[in-house]
Amino acid sequence: MTNQTQTETVNNGVNVEALLGAREALEATPAAAQFKWRAECTWKDGTHSQTTINNFFGLGEEQERGRTFTIDADHPEQFAAANLGATPVEIVMSALASCLTGGVASVAQHRGIQLNSVTASVEGDMDLQGILGIDSKVRNGFDAIRVNFQIDADASDADIKALVAQSQKRSAVFDIITNPTNVFVNVN
Amino acid sequence: MKHVTTIIIGAGQAGLAMSKQLTDRSIDHVLLERGAVANSWKTERWNSLRLLTPNWQSRLPGYRYTGNDPDGFMDMKQVVSFLDGYASTIAAPVEHHTKVLSVERRFDSYVIKTTRGIWSCASLVLANGACAVPVIPKCASAMPETIQHVSPLDYKSPDQLPQGGVLVVGASATGVQLAREIHQSSRPVTLSVGEHIRLPRIYRGHDIKWWMDALGLLDMGLDEVEDLSRARKLSSLQLIGSDNGTMLDINHLRSLGVDIAGRLAGINNGKAQFSGSLSNICDLADLKMGRLLDSIDEYATQYMADQQLPPPHRYAPTDFGAPPNLQMALNDGRINTVVWATGFRPDYSWLDLPVLDRKGNLNHTGGIVDAPGLYALGLPFMRTRKSTLIDGVGDDAAYLADHLRAGLHRRAA
């Protein structure tokens, strides 16, 4: 009961009722829970590429968003590139931070915790001897990623830590980064 | 074909508790038992295992532990003798060495084929155990062939394992207990840790089970938890029944030299891959333990003369050491054995009734299965959090026996 009373006064802009409704509906019809996310990337020039994102498949049919998002990726000038976008690895870090931050808001709403501000700083360690092929023992990807949250919320420190922990537990990008995934790349 | 009003499948604590309730209600019944009373305790548990609940908590309808060590923990011989004693005290009509081969519905009866003849009955109680089949992750099939697989149902002691390293998968009660004794047998253990529940064995002078009982956590019912399906899936508490109050957590295992890795995420090209989420897994467990200890301290302040108790205490956060390895070779001879401490499920392979959901779980509401006169006992959080405990099955059996009797009266009317 306390949770419900609190939910009425707490507003993080997350429609928890809709999310819980979706969970219930998709539990009953697992086929509708099968989604396919898509992105299309076009080479522009040098290391600059542009990805567009719009439609996806889910809830049993093709879905349109009514707008197309564009993400530019490039390398910085230090790599003798045109610097027309963030590097792909930074976009991965951005995806992780966004996923965890959205999760924090959703969990906070569900738990009746008012958020005042949330900032996530992400830092990833990478040894470039990997991607440059200097040392085959060094992996291409991150050695470690650290996410530091600064959260101002009407809750105890332990409750805030529990929000962040629960957000990781339910995060798609956290799972994508921490667990292996089969990747198939084809040339048509 | 022999006919009886009610058949109970299984003569462990659940079946016996139901037998007592049926006898008290003058309902004729038999228990079909594949082996002897307390068969799983007798044949499918490891040698060093003791109950996770203290002796005083071994309470069944009309029967309880009366020895002189209420705070001790029964070993398996003692559990078997405790349940044998119960079976004779209540004169349970057990058909021993009678393995059920199939159960089907014929007209308004259940027909049960067994290795010792065919039975029919009006009502049927499935008390065949929640831990009958080990749950093993799909990736097990990708293990190199040189690795020996061991399930906790077959494991007795470290001597039966080959020399060399052992990967123990799962860090609930089974996983941490086996990791410790295998590691202490000079077989270096790597423990793969997924979500777990970390707890001290003794807190402020009382056993943790005493506190959980006092706080009413064990009596919490179906309406009192927010997410029942989650409550039913929770792993066992990271505890060991031991007289010295050891807290068998990751910090303890690390101090003994056990290597800690994340959840087993996959096996590829002869290598085990572990999830990079271990830090969060440990945070979740530490936070959960902190919340429980907070509630205990609040309870102590409110209801007990807490000045007379040892003071509140908070444990060091879980420390899994240097950034854990994300992969480990399984084909270089360092690891020879994998122990799957990844949970159990009941066996319904012989149940030819449309009562299982798409995941193979029994469709039931508090033990009342979606079929006339069909009941279950002893499942995780079946009616309360203690439904799987010896201490919890009696209340469940009493409730279901009333429901069962009412059903028989309706049939007769």
Side-chain angles (χ1 to χ4, degrees):
Chain A
M1 279 314 285
T2 24
N3 262 1
Q4 278 180 359
T5 334
Q6 285 170 347
T7 312
E8 285 163 17
T9 57
V10 165
N11 185 4
N12 297 324
V14 178
N15 187 342
V16 167
E17 286 71 29
L19 290 178
L20 293 176
R23 181 187 151 166
E24 207 168 303
L26 294 183
E27 193 171 15
T29 52
Q34 307 308 310
F35 274 59
K36 292 189 192 303
W37 299 105
R38 303 187 182 112
E40 192 166 284
C41 181
T42 307
W43 173 63
K44 293 294 182 185
D45 186 39
T47 47
H48 177 215
S49 66
Q50 196 171 62
T51 298
T52 55
I53 297 170
N54 186 334
N55 64 346
F56 59 92
F57 179 89
L59 307 172
E61 58 188 351
E62 284 297 324
Q63 304 284 345
E64 283 269 347
R65 268 189 249 242
R67 64 183 285 198
T68 299
F69 298 100
T70 304
I71 299 169
D72 283 279
D74 199 355
H75 286 170
E77 286 164 0
Q78 289 80 349
F79 287 36
N83 198 26
L84 293 170
T87 62
V89 298
E90 290 162 319
I91 294 170
V92 169
M93 290 177 8
S94 149
L96 175 63
S98 299
C99 196
L100 293 176
T101 302
V104 165
S106 305
V107 178
Q109 184 74 45
H110 184 47
R111 293 185 178 176
I113 295 173
Q114 180 63 54
L115 297 174
N116 302 316
S117 71
V118 179
T119 309
S121 318
V122 194
E123 192 172 59
D125 302 339
M126 186 180 285
D127 181 346
L128 285 205
Q129 295 185 88
I131 47 177
L132 295 175
I134 297 168
D135 185 343
S136 62
K137 290 194 196 79
V138 175
R139 70 181 284 184
N140 297 343
F142 294 116
D143 296 320
I145 299 175
R146 287 173 301 280
V147 183
N148 287 304
F149 269 100
Q150 299 280 352
I151 297 179
D152 176 11
D154 303 340
S156 70
D157 282 356
D159 285 347
I160 290 174
K161 281 183 180 155
L163 278 184
V164 175
Q166 183 65 19
S167 165
Q168 291 169 74
K169 191 173 150 180
R170 287 277 154 263
S171 162
V173 180
F174 184 83
D175 173 78
I176 289 165
I177 292 178
T178 55
N179 293 311
T181 306
N182 283 315
V183 179
F184 306 96
V185 179
N186 304 307
V187 179
N188 296 322
Chain B
M1 182 155 43
K2 287 170 273 192
H3 184 82
V4 64
T5 303
T6 301
I7 283 179
I8 301 169
I9 300 180
Q13 67 269 14
L16 295 172
M18 181 54 96
S19 173
K20 164 80 166 110
Q21 297 298 342
L22 295 181
T23 301
D24 288 352
R25 288 164 181 75
S26 306
I27 297 169
D28 71 301
H29 65 280
V30 298
L31 299 94
L32 304 181
E33 169 54 59
R34 66 189 159 137
V37 166
N39 198 63
S40 312
W41 297 113
K42 197 177 279 181
T43 64
E44 295 176 348
R45 299 293 181 268
W46 57 96
N47 297 346
S48 67
L49 178 64
R50 289 170 177 267
L51 288 188
L52 299 185
T53 47
N55 289 333
W56 60 264
Q57 226 173 14
S58 288
R59 300 179 284 212
L60 284 161
Y63 189 73
R64 62 189 305 155
Y65 175 84
T66 51
N68 54 12
D69 184 18
D71 297 321
F73 300 88
M74 289 184 199
D75 64 20
M76 291 306 102
K77 277 191 184 134
Q78 291 166 319
V79 174
V80 171
S81 129
F82 177 76
L83 291 177
D84 270 336
Y86 189 41
S88 13
T89 304
I90 63 171
V94 180
E95 295 284 322
H96 295 98
H97 304 289
T98 306
K99 188 173 190 288
V100 171
L101 301 173
S102 70
V103 171
E104 57 184 274
R105 183 98 179 134
R106 211 175 288 167
F107 305 107
D108 55 356
S109 296
Y110 292 102
V111 175
I112 296 137
K113 288 192 185 136
T114 77
T115 49
R116 289 177 64 240
I118 301 176
W119 291 77
S120 77
C121 60
S123 49
L124 176 64
V125 181
L126 308 174
N128 49 303
C131 299
V133 183
V135 175
I136 292 176
K138 278 190 203 138
C139 67
S141 59
M143 270 291 167
E145 282 171 17
T146 48
I147 299 280
Q148 182 173 329
H149 297 241
V150 179
S151 108
L153 298 186
D154 305 321
Y155 173 87
K156 294 295 168 203
S157 73
D159 313 339
Q160 84 194 79
L161 308 182
Q163 289 297 327
V166 179
L167 171 63
V168 176
V169 184
S172 294
T174 303
V176 293
Q177 291 188 28
L178 299 192
R180 185 171 74 165
E181 75 173 25
I182 293 170
H183 189 77
Q184 288 177 332
S185 78
S186 301
R187 291 167 178 83
V189 166
T190 299
L191 179 65
S192 162
V193 177
E195 271 195 68
H196 58 275
I197 301 173
R198 182 186 181 207
L199 290 172
R201 177 79 257 182
I202 291 169
Y203 183 67
R204 300 187 71 183
H206 288 281
D207 191 89
I208 196 71
K209 292 278 185 176
W210 184 90
W211 286 113
M212 292 176 75
D213 192 49
L215 267 66
L217 297 176
L218 299 176
D219 296 306
M220 276 177 80
L222 303 177
D223 305 335
E224 295 170 82
V225 288
E226 198 180 341
D227 187 341
L228 183 60
S229 67
R230 183 167 174 271
R232 284 183 170 158
K233 279 185 293 203
L234 277 186
S235 48
S236 61
L237 311 179
Q238 213 177 48
L239 290 175
I240 182 166
S242 84
D243 299 332
N244 59 13
T246 304
M247 182 173 181
L248 190 45
D249 61 355
I250 291 178
N251 289 355
H252 177 77
L253 291 169
R254 262 199 77 225
S255 75
L256 301 174
V258 171
D259 265 340
I260 305 298
R263 192 179 61 83
L264 181 65
I267 297 170
N268 273 310
N269 299 321
K271 288 193 174 79
Q273 297 175 305
F274 302 110
S275 175
S277 64
L278 182 59
S279 166
N280 189 48
I281 292 284
C282 295
D283 284 349
L284 283 163
D286 289 349
L287 288 162
K288 195 180 180 73
M289 176 172 73
R291 290 193 292 273
L292 177 68
L293 299 183
D294 287 348
S295 337
I296 289 177
D297 291 337
E298 278 166 34
Y299 177 91
T301 309
Q302 210 167 345
Y303 300 107
M304 298 166 75
D306 72 336
Q307 316 83 306
Q308 288 159 33
L309 297 174
H313 179 71
R314 289 297 174 271
Y315 299 85
T318 304
D319 178 5
F320 47 81
N325 285 331
L326 296 170
Q327 58 178 29
M328 185 174 72
L330 296 167
N331 52 7
D332 66 358
R334 275 191 300 171
I335 296 283
N336 294 324
T337 313
V338 59
V339 177
W340 297 107
T342 34
F344 306 95
R345 61 179 172 81
D347 179 17
Y348 298 124
S349 55
W350 35 264
L351 193 62
D352 300 326
L353 300 170
V355 292
L356 302 179
D357 69 15
R358 63 190 161 82
K359 292 177 186 159
N361 297 314
L362 198 64
N363 287 318
H364 72 93
T365 308
I368 301 163
V369 183
D370 299 347
L374 187 61
Y375 300 90
L377 266 179
L379 300 180
F381 220 122
M382 195 184 80
R383 301 191 58 79
T384 66
R385 185 168 277 133
K386 65 180 179 185
S387 283
T388 35
L389 304 186
I390 289 176
D391 193 32
V393 77
D395 288 350
D396 289 1
Y399 179 90
L400 294 180
D402 281 339
H403 191 279
L404 186 155
R405 179 172 57 181
L408 294 174
H409 285 165
R410 273 197 303 277
R411 274 167 75 102

